[in-house]
Amino acid sequence: MSRTVLNVDEVSKRYAGYKSDLLRFATWFGAPLQPDSEHWAVRDVSFFLQSGQAMAVIGENGAGKSTLLKMITGTVRPTTGKIEVGGRISAILELGVGFNMEFTGRENVYQAGGLMGLPRSEITALMPEIESFAEIGAFFDEPLRMYSTGMQARLAFALATAVRPDLLIVDEVLSVGDAYFQHKSFSRIRKFKEEGVAILLVTHSMPDVREICNRVLLLDKGRVVKDGVPDEVVDYYNALVSEKETAKLSIEQRRAKNGWVLSRSGTFEAVVASIELLDAQTGEELSQVGVGQELALRVTAKISADLPRLVLGIMLRDRTGHVVWGTNTWHTSQVIESVGAGERVIYEARFRCDLGPGSYSISPALVSSSTHLDNNYEWTDNLLVFDVVNFDKAVFIGTSYLDAQFLIKRIEP
Amino acid sequence: MLLALWRYRHFILTSILGELKARFARSWIGLFWSILHPLAQATIFALILAEVLGAKLGGVDTKAAYPIYLMAGLAAWGLFNEILSRCLSVYIDNAGVMKKIAFPRICLPVIVWGSAMLNHLLLLASIVVVFLFFGHYPGPAWLFLPVGIILISMLAFGLGVMLGVLNVFSRDIGQVTSIVLQIWFWLTPIVYPASILPQSLRWLLDLNPLVPLVGIYQDALLFDRVPDPQSLLVPTIIAMSLFAASFLLFRRASPELVDAL
């Protein structure tokens, strides 16, 4: 049963500036004064979140992500609108706030746990669990100033997630700490999600978004630009980022029949006229290929303006949106110089399909240098989709076919 | 607000004890510095001014009359000063926590108040030891000290919370207050007895609500005298209304407090 855990209704936050502080003080006692300057950090944001849903909030710096999270957490009050939370919130806006460097790890758990509103008896009951998750061994009873950053992060995360909340709010804190800590904290978040905790995550890491979240909210200048499933919103966001770089760009997005979302953006001075996946020997066009089959990807680009340089980039993604492989002709030192309007360029990439069984997509991009941020002529996400089937290899899992050989030796006693 | 404080009582208690502990942590005799400091101050004043001002204290015949007078006044002023100046910066000092964790903000000045009280009680205990050394024994008027402690801390808390909130928005408040506190110290008969002031300046003492409150300490510790209830009337009203007003202002300013940090 899923229930609504969080309801954000038309929420806005205004930061007001007054000519003099006296005027500001007067407004607290009901003086009907208009602020001298105002800045709307968040504007008319509405959404709701149900238990078991994980939502990522993405957007550029200053888009209002952190302000929104602070309002939901309760440290900042919205200027207008209403936020309703059904249940217990646990917010990790920053790891280690409220810690005292002179205290031991154990004392800090009491101190910071108290700050989170946990009664002392409950903290005592949770202590063994926190101690074991933090994995800081004998340091647990040493002053915090002797800890490494990673140890502090583990302790803080262990405390913040010691009680299963109804809503977990995480603001970009998982980027600290080593790979082991990240892995460990992600599995805890995933476990919470399976147990029905609603999760709200601010991050700049798109792989994290695709991995954990089943919904994404894209904010720009304090407003909600898009609210939807990860691949759709993330691709739109990537297109938006490149749009900011080149002004005369346009973005189109639609969902193809096979469920993949196509996002197309660019100046369209060069476009992909056709993209085909062919059998390298027979030249037959394929939509289903076998593991280990020799393939050729043929991309025909049509040029409609005189361009100084042309680079083709290719990106291969698996069903969850993770990039499996990608490169471009800039990296392979095959940049074409001064291409004329009306010209056609045919690219053919030959490769062996060492992929695991599953559905994959190819996203081509026509650009002028190593990234799409300088001149983005055309970038299309998931333009070509194909399935890989294991016809003749031993059963294996994963997205890569490694052709491993077992050598087995038996030693008689 | 009171309910929130009750729910966070454990946190407030650990924080108060924590401050005490932090003071112990890396200094040799730790906490004793907070007691030694006012005692040293009293010693300095006593050494320099005893000859000049000691004779002016009528009514007590011990040699130690002036040092005792000084210690009583400095203890009272110390409590007032500590609560007020720490409340003044408590929000700015804790900006990080206030921005990132949702908890009742009123806890912060309450922790300051509690930790100042704890320091003050330790100081009073050590003052008793010093007094015994002088051969000056506590009398029944000591029982009135709690009245002084409560009124002084209410006055300081009320002023401190209000100025602390305003200080978040305009940092000049903090600077001005620290200067005003210095002047206030010398306008209160702590180092000198009130009797040496010329008649033409007496009105300054009448305007200063701290004079009767510090007087409770001096009366109790030195003269073993019960404070005059009539002189306490006005300071009590001022302390209580500032105390109440500080909660009101705090409630009004609360939504904007974090925005300005």
Side-chain angles (χ1 to χ4, degrees), chain A residues 13 24 75 94 107, chain B residues 21 99-100 105 256 259:
Chain A
K13 176 69 193 178
R24 180 194 301 276
T75 62
E94 193 180 317
E107 289 164 338
Chain B
K21 205 179 157 223
K99 276 191 221 173
K100 304 287 182 178
R105 281 82 184 253
E256 275 195 75
D259 299 1

Side-chain angles (χ1 to χ4, degrees), chain A residues 333-407:
Chain A
S333 310
Q334 290 171 295
V335 180
I336 306 178
E337 308 277 349
S338 47
V339 207
E343 212 176 310
R344 276 169 182 273
V345 184
I346 299 172
Y347 291 93
E348 199 169 281
R350 288 175 169 266
F351 61 97
R352 200 177 57 180
C353 181
D354 285 335
L355 296 169
S359 184
Y360 295 86
S361 80
I362 290 173
S363 310
L366 290 165
V367 293
S368 70
S369 64
S370 63
T371 70
H372 68 293
L373 296 178
D374 292 339
N375 292 93
N376 177 15
Y377 302 132
E378 188 193 45
W379 172 299
T380 318
D381 282 301
N382 313 327
L383 184 57
L384 179 82
V385 176
F386 64 98
D387 290 308
V388 177
V389 181
N390 188 356
F391 291 120
D392 49 1
K393 307 286 192 249
V395 171
F396 69 98
I397 56 166
T399 56
S400 305
Y401 174 60
L402 291 183
D403 199 15
Q405 308 291 326
F406 287 100
L407 290 176

Side-chain angles (χ1 to χ4, degrees), chain A residues 13-16 18 21 24-25 27-30 70 73-77 91 93-94 97-98 100 102-104 107 110-112 114-121 145 171, chain B residues 7-8 10-11 14-15 17-19 21-22 25-26 96-105 165-167 169-171 173 248-249 251-256 258-260:
Chain A
K13 176 69 193 178
R14 179 188 70 180
Y15 286 97
Y18 293 89
D21 290 309
R24 180 194 301 276
F25 301 156
T27 59
W28 300 340
F29 297 96
K70 280 181 195 161
T73 308
T75 62
V76 170
R77 288 194 207 169
L93 299 185
E94 193 180 317
V97 209
N100 185 328
E102 297 296 344
F103 285 16
T104 67
E107 289 164 338
Y110 278 114
Q111 168 89 359
L115 199 55
M116 288 162 50
L118 296 174
R120 199 175 171 84
S121 53
R145 64 188 139 87
D171 187 359
Chain B
R7 276 202 304 117
Y8 276 75
H10 292 301
F11 167 67
T14 18
S15 300
L17 293 175
E19 282 196 18
K21 205 179 157 223
R26 274 202 273 182
V97 181
M98 288 174 65
K99 276 191 221 173
K100 304 287 182 178
I101 299 178
F103 69 103
R105 281 82 184 253
V165 167
L166 302 184
N167 194 24
F169 297 96
S170 152
R171 304 283 154 103
I173 304 257
L248 187 72
L249 183 80
R251 276 193 91 98
R252 293 291 167 90
S254 213
E256 275 195 75
V258 174
D259 299 1

Side-chain angles (χ1 to χ4, degrees), chain A residues 60-367:
Chain A
E60 296 181 315
N61 289 329
K65 307 185 293 285
S66 292
T67 309
L68 180 63
L69 255 54
K70 280 181 195 161
M71 285 193 287
I72 296 169
T73 308
T75 62
V76 170
R77 288 194 207 169
T79 311
T80 61
K82 213 168 53 198
I83 295 175
E84 284 166 343
V85 181
R88 173 186 210 126
I89 308 186
S90 190
I92 317 175
L93 299 185
E94 193 180 317
L95 286 176
V97 209
F99 277 7
N100 185 328
M101 283 295 147
E102 297 296 344
F103 285 16
T104 67
R106 190 182 303 276
E107 289 164 338
N108 265 308
V109 169
Y110 278 114
Q111 168 89 359
L115 199 55
M116 288 162 50
L118 296 174
R120 199 175 171 84
S121 53
E122 200 176 334
I123 302 177
T124 309
L126 291 167
M127 195 60 88
E129 149 77 14
I130 294 172
E131 191 174 351
S132 78
F133 186 88
E135 286 184 51
I136 42 183
F139 275 99
F140 199 60
D141 287 304
E142 294 287 340
L144 208 68
R145 64 188 139 87
M146 300 174 72
Y147 285 33
S148 69
T149 317
M151 287 158 88
Q152 283 185 34
R154 286 207 294 275
L155 182 64
F157 189 84
L159 170 63
T161 58
V163 191
R164 197 179 72 87
D166 297 299
L167 171 63
L168 178 71
I169 298 177
V170 183
D171 187 359
E172 273 190 284
V173 286
L174 300 179
S175 49
V176 303
D178 49 17
Y180 175 68
F181 165 71
Q182 289 192 9
H183 174 78
K184 208 171 163 178
S185 38
F186 266 113
S187 17
R188 178 164 269 195
I189 291 178
R190 213 171 287 126
K191 192 174 134 258
F192 274 165
K193 187 181 148 193
E194 282 156 19
E195 291 169 358
V197 175
I199 291 159
L200 204 58
L201 181 78
V202 161
T203 182
H204 283 292
S205 159
M206 295 307 142
D208 292 353
V209 172
R210 292 181 197 269
E211 202 176 318
I212 297 182
C213 302
N214 39 30
R215 225 173 114 193
V216 180
L217 190 75
L218 173 60
L219 290 182
D220 189 40
K221 297 185 190 87
R223 288 174 192 275
V224 176
V225 181
K226 227 166 170 58
D227 177 356
V229 292
D231 53 349
E232 187 177 340
V233 182
V234 171
D235 289 345
Y236 187 88
Y237 174 62
N238 285 336
L240 196 74
V241 169
S242 59
E243 182 200 30
K244 295 226 160 135
E245 302 293 329
T246 32
K248 44 182 175 171
L249 228 57
S250 68
I251 307 173
E252 300 164 8
Q253 197 169 42
R254 67 191 158 86
R255 185 168 278 275
K257 278 204 197 84
N258 51 26
W260 292 79
V261 176
L262 274 117
S263 312
R264 183 165 172 260
S265 65
T267 60
F268 307 136
E269 291 160 289
V271 296
V272 172
S274 72
I275 182 164
E276 298 151 299
L277 191 64
L278 311 170
D279 184 289
Q281 269 97 48
T282 62
E284 179 196 357
E285 193 173 348
L286 304 167
S287 64
Q288 191 180 64
V289 303
V291 174
Q293 192 172 355
E294 296 290 341
L295 300 173
L297 177 73
R298 187 185 292 159
V299 178
T300 309
K302 207 170 82 185
I303 320 299
S304 57
D306 292 338
L307 304 174
R309 276 185 319 241
L310 187 66
V311 170
L312 172 74
I314 291 291
M315 193 156 72
L316 188 66
R317 284 196 187 128
D318 70 5
R319 191 67 194 88
T320 62
H322 279 282
V323 176
V324 176
W325 176 84
T327 191
N328 62 33
T329 58
W330 190 87
H331 292 302
T332 60
S333 310
Q334 290 171 295
V335 180
I336 306 178
E337 308 277 349
S338 47
V339 207
E343 212 176 310
R344 276 169 182 273
V345 184
I346 299 172
Y347 291 93
E348 199 169 281
R350 288 175 169 266
F351 61 97
R352 200 177 57 180
C353 181
D354 285 335
L355 296 169
S359 184
Y360 295 86
S361 80
I362 290 173
S363 310
L366 290 165
V367 293

